[in-house]
Amino acid sequence: MKLQLVIFAIITLFFTACSVKPLEPIKFEEVNKKISFVNHIKPILDKRCVSCHSCYNSPCQLKLSSFEGLQRGASKADIYANRLSASNPTRLFVDAVNEKQWREKGFFSVTDELENSNESIMMQYLNQKMKNPLNIGDYSPETDELSCVKDKDELAEYFDDNPHKGMPYGFPALEKKEYNLLMTWLKQGLPNDNINLIPNNEQSEINKFEDFFNNLDIKHQVSARYIYEHLFLAHISFDDKSENFYELVRSKTPSGKEVEIIATKFPYDEIKEKFYYRFRKIESSIVHKTHMVYKLNDLKLQRYKELFINTKWPIKPHTITYDNNTAANALEVFEQIPANSRYKFLLDDIHYIIMTFIRGPVCKGQIALNVIEDNFWIMFMDPKYDLSVQDKFFLHDNLENLAIPNQFGEDPNISKTFSILDNYKLSRQYQSNKAKVYKRYYPQGLSLDSIWKGNKQENDSILTIYRHFNSASVHKGALGSVPKTLWLIDFPLIERIYYSLVAGFDLFGNTAHQLLVRKHMDRLRIEGESNFLEYLPKNSREEYFNSWYQGWLASYLSVYIPTGANTNISYKTKDYKNEFISKLLEHTNNKKDEINFIEKDYKSTEIKKIYNSKDEIEETLKTLTLPNSSSFIKHFTNSESNLAYLRIKMQNQDDLVYTVVINRWHKNVALLFNEESRLDSSKDTMNFIKGFIGSYPNAFLEVEQKDLNDFFTLIKDYKNTQSDIDKILKYTINRANPNFWQSYDWFNNEFKKQDPLNYGLFDLNRYISKAR
């Protein structure tokens, strides 16, 4: 009997210890007024929720950037998981059009009342934060194992284990007024007063372009398909002063009727029924990480007609196939359109085109982005010199050699994948053929005249790429100092990169598909770098190339194919790359970066006791960009601390804003894994860019003008002691700072003031994780 009592006591104790505390009733002050989603609720969601919940990397795929995203709810599926087979896409506004369809795809509501409760998951999360406002420990929404709770029991268990992980996740709670408004609206059942209105002037422009795209003439049909495949991710603006943006889609319905989008995985997938190109207004809040602006106006329509309709085509216009084996290769599919027209179309908006490579459809992609250096410049072959455009046979004769792996679809098998990866034959053959034809046309080699000078007043002849670990950004002009590498992109290269990384990339594809794209980009990167090397003396090229690919495996995998061609540029020194860059900047009329470009004879300056002007501040910033100038770089170079926004609070209240970018030095970028082993922090540099770059700030820094001596000294002489750590925290707005949201709002508002057309909400998924 005693034994039975002991066993009973142990069992009782076990289940008591493992029991989960039930959810407590929610408390809030109900707002006694009519609540508008547009005027009251959406501004709260935008300011406090969209910063993490706006794309595929949103925790649990919960997108709060639109009413439809909130209504769709959340999912336990991990979009970025490795997979043997492609999964079905879950693109909001595309792959399902109502709540019922989303439930069938596995999404669950976060706003419906829970079982035996009149409260929802979202209400519980918000209430949990109000009860436990402190942020304790580390918070990383993209990498934390969030349970994506879908019912009352899962929610209770989650809160029992994570009492300090209510919403907003890892940031201060909502203000009481915001909380009561949002909770009352949720309690009322989500009344929605959003009306999709299009201004008359924008509708008039839409009508013009829909008439152009849907013209039944064969030239128009083929041109429309080509343009659509390059604009399907664009946020199209018909009015610079308007905050409205549109997307170009394929719809079941003609102009004048409501758009009914036809969902396809790729923009070049066949639609067997009759469809129409239409413009659909973007109802989601604009977030910077997906905001790629493309302007359409009367001048652009005239330009389309000039490039595509009023020019003679080399092949009689005919209907194009949607065959799966060729549809992903635009160089072949659109061969009937003059290559000169296609290339000029891309160059007309080259910043947008390159931006799609960098931002693309993925929201994050460390594996995709570790194929590029942290900072480099891109320049372009002038169409008048590009032989793929000028020689009517060259491009056609090399179409087989210019195939891309995306032609195998989103679900290639493993054996096919490795056979493709091992096949360098086509790439080598193309490079050999290209070298021969360029030698024939340019026996003296290429001159600077063959480098494109850009569009008038656009400063886009050179574009700068900054990589921010698993995101990146592209900028007009030559930012930074002399980069480690440069790319020269010609027409065949730009099209292959675009159809590999953008039009033909499937985020929902299997791992083999994504591996193929990643490894193919290795070859395309080397092609771009090899194109640049053609402008240096031929006896120096291999040495430069080998310096970019250190390590025996990188050297083995990264094959440089010397052309033996001369360069038609005279050099006066042995420092060929630096001399070339000076000539390039002069040729393209690009100014050197005033802060970050370091001349050879530059002498660093001492930190001043008092700073009285912007010029004095920027001279010190310039000194801080020198390699090895600060141990601060060594200790703060990692995946969550390489991009910060710095606000200098001036006494005259005309505050200064800079983006602090840390560029990591890679011994090579040829390998897919173990990136940390290929870094050399002793060569890392820090750049200070005026204004804002990047979409994912890792930190907000705020410094009073009177404290600049202390701040700059700290950066220059940082020792990673506890004392220095405490000092840097003085200037860093930590995620647990009660004033965090005020700082976030200031930086967002300042960005909107500086660049309203390209403005979008910043993303906080990668903000420094530790709450202090």
Side-chain angles (χ1 to χ4, degrees), residues 23-25 112-120 124 151-153:
L23 296 174
E24 297 177 3
D112 288 349
E113 293 180 353
L114 293 165
E115 185 180 1
N116 299 321
S117 169
N118 57 2
E119 296 151 354
S120 66
Q124 285 285 354
D151 59 37
K152 199 171 181 179
D153 292 338

Side-chain angles (χ1 to χ4, degrees), residues 47-48 700 740-750:
K47 290 193 300 179
R48 301 294 175 258
F700 298 136
F740 176 86
W741 289 121
Q742 289 93 313
S743 181
Y744 174 77
D745 290 343
W746 187 90
F747 281 104
N748 263 305
N749 292 335
E750 180 65 18

Side-chain angles (χ1 to χ4, degrees), residues 192 431 452 457 501 526 732:
N192 180 21
Q431 294 298 333
W452 183 61
Q457 301 177 337
L501 288 186
I526 289 172
T732 304

Side-chain angles (χ1 to χ4, degrees), residues 667-679:
K667 296 174 184 176
N668 69 75
V669 290
L671 308 177
L672 184 59
F673 303 109
N674 199 21
E675 182 176 3
E676 294 298 319
S677 68
R678 292 176 279 115
L679 299 177

